[in-house]
Amino acid sequence: MDDNAWPHQTLAVKELLESEDITRMDWPAYSPDLNPIEHVWDALGRRIAERLHNPENTQQLKQMLIEEWALQPQEMLHQLVMSMRRRCGATIAVRGGHIPY
């Protein structure tokens, strides 16, 4: 599954998928509601922004992300995964189509 973002459309990605005999699923373009990791990145970003000091370089940002990831409530991650059936159903109701699986 991908959300049709431009990085997923490169020749290298297409060739890799073909070489592994992976078929792309029909999926709405740019659908953050159907991609739980987008919500995790949002939560991590908010936690970084709430810190007293902003990262001064990528190494500091990486360390902060690692620290914040360890503090993410597992229940939030579990709820995001468990919400996928509802999210897919709502998208289908609005756009029509098939249920991705």
Side-chain angles (χ1 to χ4, degrees), residues 26 54 58 61-62 80 83 99:
D26 292 332
N54 291 325
T58 56
L61 176 59
K62 180 179 176 181
L80 280 171
S83 70
I99 298 174

Side-chain angles (χ1 to χ4, degrees), residues 1-89:
M1 179 203 86
D2 67 54
D3 61 1
N4 298 316
W6 67 266
H8 303 153
Q9 301 303 318
T10 65
L11 182 59
V13 170
K14 290 178 184 179
E15 289 175 350
L16 173 67
L17 293 176
E18 287 176 9
S19 73
E20 297 295 323
D21 198 30
I22 297 172
T23 304
R24 289 180 187 259
M25 294 170 44
D26 292 332
W27 206 260
Y30 306 106
S31 300
D33 285 341
L34 297 177
N35 192 348
I37 196 66
E38 297 296 336
H39 298 278
V40 175
W41 278 118
D42 179 62
L44 288 172
R46 283 185 276 116
R47 296 285 300 253
I48 297 294
E50 291 171 0
R51 287 182 168 224
L52 295 176
H53 303 289
N54 291 325
E56 295 179 14
N57 55 51
T58 56
Q59 186 59 34
Q60 284 182 2
L61 176 59
K62 180 179 176 181
Q63 184 58 42
M64 288 179 182
L65 286 168
I66 289 169
E67 292 166 7
E68 294 300 338
W69 174 257
L71 297 172
Q72 284 296 310
Q74 290 298 303
E75 181 60 23
M76 180 198 79
L77 302 173
H78 177 75
Q79 288 301 319
L80 280 171
V81 171
M82 297 308 294
S83 70
M84 287 307 296
R85 180 176 292 275
R86 177 183 52 78
R87 292 168 187 270
C88 289

